[in-house]
């Protein structure tokens, strides 16, 4: 009974207070009223309303919209223009785009981010199409170096000058006092000059390491070319990259990504077969964590770590979770099973036409890879494995099937990085086993002119870059660049996947594998987010998700027909980050 009296007393007092504010002006209550009104007006309705746009949301429940409201870095509302009048009447900032296309911020599903940032200030051999041009670029780089300093760089593609591989003698005469290391565009082969070979102790007595090859002359002398894990015979001799250089590389790489409309990258790290695993962990602590603590991150990163260190990642995630901050996500683990097509080290069932005794390389011993995959999956870590050749892809599909059967059903989202050449039976397995095909459309442009010479026209046309077939078999495609192997350029990847027309060609290569604009956009946005367990936060312009989006300087109709556009602006958390 006493409690009831107290409640009645409280309600009476509250009613009296309300009446005193609104019904009794003689009681000098104007100050109280003004405070209440000011409080109401300070409640943020929205930070920005995007209007008069053609918005592709990548959300299947409402694929297209005209307007979008953003508050506190997240999407508040998406819909038709008429439903946003209440926000505009309240003085919210408006961004009128005059019919231009808006898409979710692009997610690059496969980059080596700091490596790419470092390469931007080294010898860049992309596009060099002659021996003379190659030598000229190296000569210019040496002229700027002090005696004894390493000359580093890469990006060369021997297919551009007819296929002949470079050798140390090309550059020895102009680099007598500077060791040189120049990686091929795919990162699975590199050229050293004779001084670098001498420093590394590589001679005609050096044995090939497991998963690698020291290329030799007919007399057994090293030519200067090292393939896959053989690169680790030399790379440790190169001076460590300083923390300052790596932090600068992050800034350079991030600004490039924003110029290309990329707001999130999946970073597979500075890690190749046989290399040290510590570089990736050092980059996490000394570069990414540092930049995050200093509020200097410009784009979001999802980090994958070497599979050999799975237990270390498990410990970190058990303490911190997968979401380190709004900028850093802890993804999973990555390993390799084979090399690359360009280096003739991708693993195939049949030999290379230009090397009849070469079937490619198994760069990680299969039992070891299986055991690490089993342990990583038991620890509930996402697994991504590099596989390019048809045999390599089948081996990983078999392995994933065995691991999933042993460890039980769950949402694991196994990934195969590249999924480049697939035997006929493999395509349907991606969908059936729910394997993510993490592919790089721009590699198609580099391979189209040479793959028939390496594999034969029949094999090349039946199993290369089967994007359309994978989608038709219910596989999830996630587009990436593999930067710096190829340019970080999602609009280029989208066009390539839609048109499949390599430079100098008039018709599409394997036209049945072309995809639609919406399929390509999804592979660069929502499917890419799904492929890294980021789809609850990113990948579509849906209410509640982070407001990362890109404005394109085109109309939808033109985009759909021409597959061409340019980046007009990039927004991260609703704030313009480029230009």
């Amino acid at each position: 009974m006493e409690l009831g009296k107290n409640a009645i007393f409280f309600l009476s007092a509250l009613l009296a207070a309300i009446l005193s504010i609104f019904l009794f002006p003689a009681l000098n209550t104007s100050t109280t009223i003004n405070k209440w009104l000011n409080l109401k007006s300070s409640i943020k309705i929205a930070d920005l309303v995007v209007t008069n746009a053609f918005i592709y949301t990548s959300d299947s429940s409402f694929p297209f919209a005209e307007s979008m409201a953003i508050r506190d870095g997240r999407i508040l509302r998406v819909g038709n223009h008429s439903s946003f009048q209440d926000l505009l009447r309240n003085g919210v900032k408006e961004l009128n785009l005059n019919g231009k296309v808006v898409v979710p911020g692009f997610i690059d599903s496969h980059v080596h981010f700091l490596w790419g940032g470092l390469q931007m200030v080294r010898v860049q051999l992309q596009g060099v199409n002659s021996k003379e041009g190659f030598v000229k670029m190296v000569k210019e780089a040496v002229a700027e170096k002090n005696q004894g300093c390493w000359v580093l760089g890469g990006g060369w593609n021997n297919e551009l000058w007819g296929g002949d591989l470079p050798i140390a003698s090309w550059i020895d005469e102009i680099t007598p006092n500077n060791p040189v290391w120049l990686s091929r565009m795919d990162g699975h082969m590199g050229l050293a000059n004779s001084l670098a070979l001498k420093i590394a102790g590589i001679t005609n007595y050096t044995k090939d390491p497991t998963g690698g090859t020291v290329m030799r002359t007919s007399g057994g002398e090293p030519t200067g070319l090292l393939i896959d894990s053989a690169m680790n015979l030399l790379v440790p001799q190169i001076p460590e990259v300083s923390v300052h250089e790596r932090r600068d590389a992050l800034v350079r790489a991030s600004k490039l990504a924003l110029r290309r409309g990329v707001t999130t990258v999946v970073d597979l790290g500075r890690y190749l077969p046989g290399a040290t695993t510590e570089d990736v962990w050092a980059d996490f602590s000394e570069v990414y964590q540092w930049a995050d603590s200093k509020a200097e991150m410009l784009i979001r990163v999802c980090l994958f770590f070497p599979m050999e260190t799975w237990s270390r990642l498990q410990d970190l995630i058990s303490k911190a979770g997968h979401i380190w901050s709004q900028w850093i996500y802890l993804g999973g683990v990555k390993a390799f099973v084979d090399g690359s097509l360009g280096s003739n080290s991708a693993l195939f069932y049949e030999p290379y036409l230009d090397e009849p005794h070469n079937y490619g390389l198994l760069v990680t011993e299969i039992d070891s890879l299986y055991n690490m995959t089993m342990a990583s999956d038991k620890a509930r870590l996402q697994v991504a494995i590099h596989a390019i050749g048809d045999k390599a892809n089948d081996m990983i599909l078999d392995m994933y099937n065995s691991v999933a059967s042993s460890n039980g059903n769950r949402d694991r989202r196994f990934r195969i990085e590249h999924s480049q050449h697939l035997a006929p039976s493999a395509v349907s397995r991606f969908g059936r086993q729910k394997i993510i095909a993490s592919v790089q459309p721009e590699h198609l442009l580099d391979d189209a002119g040479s793959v028939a010479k390496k594999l034969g026209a029949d094999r090349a046309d039946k199993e290369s870059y089967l994007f359309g077939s994978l989608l038709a078999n219910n596989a999830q495609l996630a587009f990436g660049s593999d930067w710096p192997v190829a340019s970080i350029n999602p609009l280029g990847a989208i066009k390539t996947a839609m048109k499949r027309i390599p430079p100098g060609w008039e018709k599409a290569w394997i036209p049945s594998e072309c995809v639609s604009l919406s399929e390509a956009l999804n592979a660069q946005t929502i499917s890419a987010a799904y492929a890294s367990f980021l789809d609850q936060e990113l990948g579509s312009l849906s209410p509640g998700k982070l407001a990362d989006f890109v404005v394109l300087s085109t109309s939808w109709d033109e985009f759909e027909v021409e597959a061409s556009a340019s980046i007009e602006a990039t927004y991260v958390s609703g704030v313009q980050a480029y230009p």
Side-chain angles (χ1 to χ4, degrees), residues 160-200:
L160 296 181
W161 58 72
D164 291 340
L165 288 166
I167 53 178
S169 60
W170 284 17
I171 56 175
D172 278 344
E173 186 176 334
I174 59 173
T175 60
N177 302 310
N178 295 85
V180 178
W181 176 246
L182 304 167
S183 58
R184 192 180 186 276
M185 58 170 292
D186 52 21
H188 288 264
M189 175 191 287
L191 174 70
N193 68 347
S194 292
L195 179 57
L197 292 174
K198 182 178 179 180
I199 291 171

Side-chain angles (χ1 to χ4, degrees), residues 34 78 89 130 233 261 289 291 311 349 386 436 502 567 573:
N34 287 336
V78 180
R89 281 195 298 269
S130 67
L233 298 173
Q289 278 187 262
S311 61
Y349 286 111
H386 163 119
I436 307 291
I567 306 296
S573 293

Side-chain angles (χ1 to χ4, degrees), residues 73-139:
R74 291 185 179 270
I75 297 166
L76 177 67
R77 191 188 304 172
V78 180
N80 295 327
H81 180 71
S82 59
S83 63
F84 288 76
Q85 294 307 305
D86 60 321
L87 299 179
L88 296 174
R89 281 195 298 269
N90 279 280
V92 175
K93 180 182 178 182
E94 180 181 5
L95 176 63
N96 187 327
L97 292 178
N98 299 309
K100 288 174 182 169
V101 172
V102 170
V103 296
F106 294 126
I107 299 172
D108 192 314
S109 291
H110 187 121
V111 298
H112 305 277
F113 207 50
L114 298 188
W115 177 28
L118 291 168
Q119 288 286 82
M120 290 173 73
V121 292
R122 294 176 175 176
V123 185
Q124 297 192 51
L125 296 167
Q126 293 88 347
V128 173
N129 59 10
S130 67
K131 171 186 174 181
E132 293 74 23
F134 184 102
V135 173
K136 180 174 180 288
M137 292 285 285
V138 176
K139 186 175 183 179

